[in-house]
Amino acid sequence: MDEITRSDDLRRENQRKVLAALRASSPQSRTELSAATGLSASTTTAITSNLLTRGFLVEAAPSSDTPNQRPSRRGRPQVALALNPGAATIAALAITLNRLSVSLFDYSGELLAESTIRTDTRQLKRDSFFENLGNQLDGLLQAENASPGPLSQIVVAFQGTTDSEGTSLQWSPITPHREIALATALHRRFRVPVRVENDANMIAGALRADESSRFGDSFAAILLSPGVGMGMYVNDRLFTGIFTSAAEFGHMRHIADGALCRCGRHGCIEAYSGDYGIWRNATGRNPNEVPDRDFDASSMSELAQLARSGNAAAKEAYRQAGEAIGQGLGSLFALFDPMPVAFVGSGTIAFDLMEPTIRKSLGQRGVGLSKHDAKLYCYPNDLDLIRRGTVVAALNALDRNPGLVRATMELEDAG
């Protein structure tokens, strides 16, 4: 039995390599796939033939963007292979403060349809999360020509802490409810595999997939928005906790008994570097009260411009934000060693106001702290990266086990 298991695992891993190579560059010939994956010609042929038969691949004309197609010894051009867009449909759901976004993608990763609605997430009843997301997804699936293949995977990205199994939301600042079993409810309605993921983890997954030369085996992605989160890869593995998604950079302690954070504790990094914390400091509000209002990009842009024009209170608020982030990064680097860091989200519009203090903190001498040339990058659009990360996660799950697609199709036929 052990030998059979190992053989099945090897076959699935080789299959994943072929599919990953086609996601990186498509179409490709079998010869090119063999070179890209390091698999033998016979193994590549066996895998691609099986995937063609099962409908995951299709024969395609060579693309002008792919390497030159060499003719075979008989003078005929080699057959190019590509992912079959109609093999599956992926649903990517992103839930952030007062925003529910649902998108559909085909098996090749192309966007099919999308929908975003604004709603007060803090006022939504527990069951309304299931109902609203389900209705949004149903609306896209029922639209004409929106879904060429069977719905085969749903991934939900949530601002907050999820369980390590990817089934439920444990805690989030965007809702008063805890232990929201989103995966169970959506699986019951759509009868496909569902995963619930931390949004910052999805951002990190997107950066790793699309910019591997910049973000390789180890890096951190820090979300700067109304809240502060982090996704991190260490030695080519996504860092998670024992029981939860973990990596809660924003809720590391910055100042003992400091300003109130949305999580209910005092002195968190987020309480100084989240949008509400910066605004609270800049306007001289009570540090023991969390502002009960939204901070959109335009209002934060105005505050940043006020700081740039010399307003002392606004400048000091951003200096304190940079100090909180920099000291947090210093602690992180002491634990894991310095690594590239991507700052993502609306907070990056004022990164110029925080960066000097961040770098000053990282330049202090000490174990893991002296990093004058820390590689820091900014990406303003968090939603695009969250959505991209959910698609990457869903397609990776299908590529590891394409049988999920077939099981879904059989389930639909039986229904």
Side-chain angles (χ1 to χ4, degrees):
M1 179 64 71
D2 287 345
E3 289 295 329
I4 294 175
T5 300
R6 283 195 292 270
S7 177
D8 287 343
D9 288 343
L10 178 61
R11 185 161 45 251
R12 280 194 291 268
E13 175 59 18
N14 290 340
Q15 186 172 253
R16 185 199 65 76
K17 288 180 179 179
V18 169
L19 292 168
L22 285 170
R23 294 202 184 283
S25 177
S26 181
Q28 294 189 57
S29 69
R30 289 181 174 86
T31 300
E32 290 167 334
L33 285 171
S34 181
T37 60
L39 301 174
S40 68
S42 59
T43 298
T44 301
T45 297
I47 290 172
T48 54
S49 296
N50 177 268
L51 291 172
L52 277 165
T53 300
R54 297 166 67 193
F56 300 114
L57 300 183
V58 292
E59 294 184 355
S63 169
S64 59
D65 295 330
T66 59
N68 293 331
Q69 301 287 325
R70 295 188 181 91
S72 69
R73 282 178 292 182
R74 296 183 180 181
R76 292 178 299 187
Q78 297 186 35
V79 174
L81 301 175
L83 298 163
N84 177 12
T89 296
I90 306 300
L93 284 57
I95 306 174
T96 55
L97 180 64
N98 298 334
R99 183 176 62 186
L100 306 180
S101 174
V102 177
S103 307
L104 295 181
F105 293 81
D106 65 27
Y107 188 59
S108 69
E110 291 296 316
L111 176 66
L112 299 170
E114 60 184 332
S115 167
T116 298
I117 63 173
R118 303 285 301 186
T119 185
D120 189 345
T121 55
R122 288 166 297 194
Q123 298 300 319
L124 280 180
K125 295 181 179 179
R126 178 183 295 269
D127 290 346
S128 295
F129 278 103
F130 314 141
E131 183 178 357
N132 287 8
L133 287 171
N135 291 343
Q136 261 188 282
L137 179 52
D138 258 337
L140 290 184
L141 290 170
Q142 293 171 11
E144 186 177 1
N145 300 323
S147 177
L151 178 65
S152 303
Q153 189 91 189
I154 299 173
V155 177
V156 186
F158 220 120
Q159 183 183 356
T161 304
T162 66
D163 66 319
S164 58
E165 299 299 317
T167 63
S168 65
L169 174 77
Q170 302 291 297
W171 171 86
S172 174
I174 72 172
T175 173
H177 307 298
R178 292 174 179 261
E179 307 291 338
I180 302 177
L182 271 173
T184 300
L186 291 173
H187 174 72
R188 186 179 296 123
R189 178 165 178 173
F190 294 98
R191 304 168 73 190
V192 299
V194 182
R195 281 195 65 83
V196 179
E197 301 281 4
N198 171 266
D199 57 352
N201 285 351
M202 296 296 94
I203 288 172
L207 292 171
R208 181 172 177 268
D210 295 341
E211 299 193 40
S212 57
S213 60
R214 175 176 286 181
F215 304 109
D217 293 346
S218 300
F219 70 94
I222 295 178
L223 178 62
L224 299 179
S225 63
V228 177
M230 182 175 76
M232 181 170 65
Y233 275 83
V234 178
N235 294 331
D236 208 31
R237 294 178 65 88
L238 180 66
F239 179 82
T240 59
I242 299 172
F243 304 112
T244 69
S245 51
E248 290 293 336
F249 178 84
H251 301 291
M252 292 169 57
R253 183 63 57 82
H254 173 49
I255 297 177
D257 298 321
L260 180 64
C261 178
R262 289 187 304 174
C263 73
R265 299 197 308 167
H266 287 262
C268 296
I269 290 173
E270 180 184 297
Y272 296 87
S273 58
D275 287 352
Y276 69 90
I278 295 172
W279 183 86
R280 178 173 58 189
N281 278 342
T283 56
R285 301 304 172 96
N286 188 342
N288 292 315
E289 294 180 1
V290 175
D292 186 21
R293 55 161 289 186
D294 294 338
F295 298 93
D296 56 24
S298 61
S299 62
M300 294 307 296
S301 180
E302 290 174 4
L303 184 61
Q305 193 55 43
L306 194 64
R308 294 187 187 101
S309 65
N311 181 276
K315 287 176 65 177
E316 175 61 14
Y318 281 108
R319 189 202 66 78
Q320 290 187 36
E323 182 178 62
I325 294 168
Q327 291 189 9
L329 283 180
S331 297
L332 186 72
F333 289 176
L335 287 172
F336 294 99
D337 293 332
M339 63 181 73
V341 179
F343 290 96
V344 180
S346 59
T348 61
I349 63 175
F351 192 71
D352 60 303
L353 297 168
M354 298 181 284
E355 183 176 10
T357 311
I358 292 173
R359 291 194 177 276
K360 181 179 179 180
S361 297
L362 293 177
Q364 296 172 359
R365 294 189 178 277
V367 178
L369 293 180
S370 184
K371 190 64 177 176
H372 293 278
D373 60 343
K375 296 179 180 178
L376 310 179
Y377 307 93
C378 288
Y379 297 82
N381 195 323
D382 57 318
L383 180 58
D384 280 355
L385 285 172
I386 292 170
R387 187 173 64 180
R388 170 63 177 153
T390 61
V391 175
V392 168
L395 291 175
N396 283 344
L398 291 180
D399 289 351
R400 285 192 299 270
N401 186 10
L404 290 173
V405 178
R406 186 60 56 200
T408 299
M409 294 173 70
E410 292 172 353
L411 189 63
E412 287 192 346
D413 291 342

